[in-house]
Amino acid sequence: MSSQFRAIVVDDISDQIPDERSGAHGAAYAATPRRGGVLRTLDDGFFSAGDDPRPLPSPATGVSIDVSYSSINYKDGLAVAGRPGIVRRLPLIAGIDVVGTVTASADPRWAPGDSVVLNGAGLGESRHGGLSEHTVVDGASLLRLPSAISPRRAAALGTAGFTAMLAVMALERQGIGPRSGEILVTGAAGGVGSVAVMLLSRAGYSVTAASGRAATEGDYLRALGATTVIDRAELLEAGKPLQSTRWAGAIDSLGGTSLATVLAQISYGGSVASCGLAAGAELPSTVLPFILRGVNLLGVNSVDAPIALREAAWLRLAAEAQLALLDELSTEIGLAAVPETAEAILAGTVRGRTIVNVRA
């Protein structure tokens, strides 16, 4: 590892981790302005036990990586912008995605030169993440990058694509297939939604894409394979706990009233894969969709997914993602543009996937 490297560091956020700020230490942080993500040049000492509050990987599994690409999605946006709820330790390098090359490994499963990818697993939350030129991760969570996917495209998929595939697989396990009926994707112009629409369409599903930008993103969503585009506003008004059925299944990244409405409109025996809370963490619903229509609410957790599930999802992404189309829905930025992009993501003005070339 070089003596210095650049990274997006989240630091000096007084109310980010209130339970870890007490006494004089807490008073000092309370007097410190919110700064959110700051581009810093760091030295290797940042990874020492004295300077780094993160538990380092054990000597038996620690893997050093030269990072080539990361990405930025909604969760990264919250962290980099200094919003509470994501970062659990300070200071912390942000970024829940890592794509790069192994430079050294105490884990016999990995050797210098291996191309690897890692999503979630505490990156950018409790462990240093991928918005950095170098990182150290636990080798037990790493995946070998499938040969069919380039490093740049792996970052374009990132946690968003990984989560979208997990959601598709969750629907499939409940027997929801292309012949089951219409599938709804909420937040369809975002990272998870865009890839979900692409994957479902490629698999033969009829897809309705719901977006808060339906008027301006209709052509984009249809190009991804959506057969119908609706305005998200249709889902945001509280209604009856059971409504006219519209969907055989859904992938929801919004939560809140939107998810409650979707549940009320799912056909008998249908399923909703829930993977986000962009519209809120609450669920103002009742048990009626579950006990009267047999609706299934499926939780999708990409952060703690076991290694076997990670491998299966990435192998399917390599086989089923439309990689050329993925290029069209992706935008590349450098590290310096990350803070500004984080604010744009939270404002809902970014569509598709944003790749971060950490070397640019």
Side-chain angles (χ1 to χ4, degrees):
M1 189 178 293
S2 63
S3 61
Q4 290 192 326
F5 58 94
R6 298 180 307 153
I8 297 291
V9 179
V10 181
D11 199 358
D12 298 339
I13 303 170
S14 60
D15 60 349
Q16 185 84 303
I17 315 172
D19 60 330
E20 295 188 10
R21 306 300 179 206
S22 58
H25 194 181
Y29 265 77
T32 305
R34 289 174 71 106
R35 293 202 312 178
V38 179
L39 182 62
R40 287 188 187 168
T41 300
L42 306 168
D43 58 37
D44 290 347
F46 192 79
F47 287 104
S48 72
D51 295 332
D52 182 5
R54 169 200 67 166
L56 289 168
S58 71
T61 60
V63 180
S64 297
I65 298 173
D66 275 353
V67 183
S68 53
Y69 292 99
S70 186
S71 68
I72 179 167
N73 62 16
Y74 188 78
K75 183 181 284 188
D76 293 314
L78 289 171
V80 172
R83 307 290 179 85
I86 301 299
V87 174
R88 296 182 174 87
R89 297 178 183 273
L90 295 175
L92 193 82
I93 296 174
I96 63 175
D97 291 327
V98 167
V99 182
T101 303
V102 174
T103 57
S105 177
D107 187 328
R109 290 170 290 192
W110 305 105
D114 287 343
S115 294
V116 292
V117 60
L118 180 58
N119 315 111
L123 298 182
E125 298 181 66
S126 58
R127 296 178 179 272
H128 286 315
L131 291 174
S132 172
E133 294 175 327
H134 303 279
T135 194
V136 180
V137 302
D138 189 333
S141 301
L142 273 179
L143 290 178
R144 200 171 307 278
L145 184 62
S147 58
I149 304 178
S150 69
R152 187 181 187 279
R153 284 172 167 172
L157 287 166
T159 292
F162 174 53
T163 302
M165 179 55 82
L166 291 179
V168 171
M169 294 167 68
L171 292 179
E172 291 174 343
R173 288 195 295 272
Q174 296 298 319
I176 306 298
R179 295 185 179 181
S180 299
E182 194 76 9
I183 305 298
L184 174 70
V185 176
T186 66
V192 174
S194 293
V195 180
V197 170
M198 178 180 67
L199 292 172
L200 290 166
S201 174
R202 175 73 178 273
Y205 290 85
S206 179
V207 182
T208 293
S211 172
R213 296 168 278 167
T216 57
E217 302 291 5
D219 290 344
Y220 165 78
L221 293 168
R222 291 185 183 90
L224 294 179
T227 52
T228 306
V229 178
I230 65 172
D231 195 302
R232 184 177 64 184
E234 293 186 27
L235 307 174
L236 293 181
E237 292 187 11
K240 295 180 179 179
L242 287 179
Q243 302 173 26
S244 298
T245 57
R246 301 177 68 179
W247 330 107
I251 295 176
D252 178 73
S253 59
L254 300 180
T257 301
S258 172
L259 176 54
T261 301
V262 172
L263 288 168
Q265 297 176 354
I266 295 291
S267 301
Y268 185 88
S271 297
V272 179
S274 173
C275 58
L277 43 67
E282 73 284 353
L283 180 55
S285 184
T286 72
V287 299
L288 295 183
F290 311 112
I291 64 175
L292 296 183
R293 288 183 179 165
V295 171
N296 304 293
L297 180 58
L298 315 173
V300 177
N301 177 359
S302 62
V303 174
D304 301 310
I307 192 67
L309 186 57
R310 290 174 180 274
E311 290 173 343
W314 271 97
L315 287 174
R316 287 196 56 178
L317 285 170
E320 300 173 28
Q322 301 178 65
L323 297 178
L325 187 57
L326 182 67
D327 293 339
E328 297 180 18
L329 64 88
S330 302
T331 302
E332 182 175 318
I333 63 172
L335 277 177
V338 167
E340 178 183 358
T341 304
E343 295 288 358
I345 286 176
L346 298 183
T349 59
V350 174
R351 75 178 186 187
R353 297 288 293 131
T354 301
I355 303 165
V356 182
N357 181 345
V358 303
R359 305 284 167 172

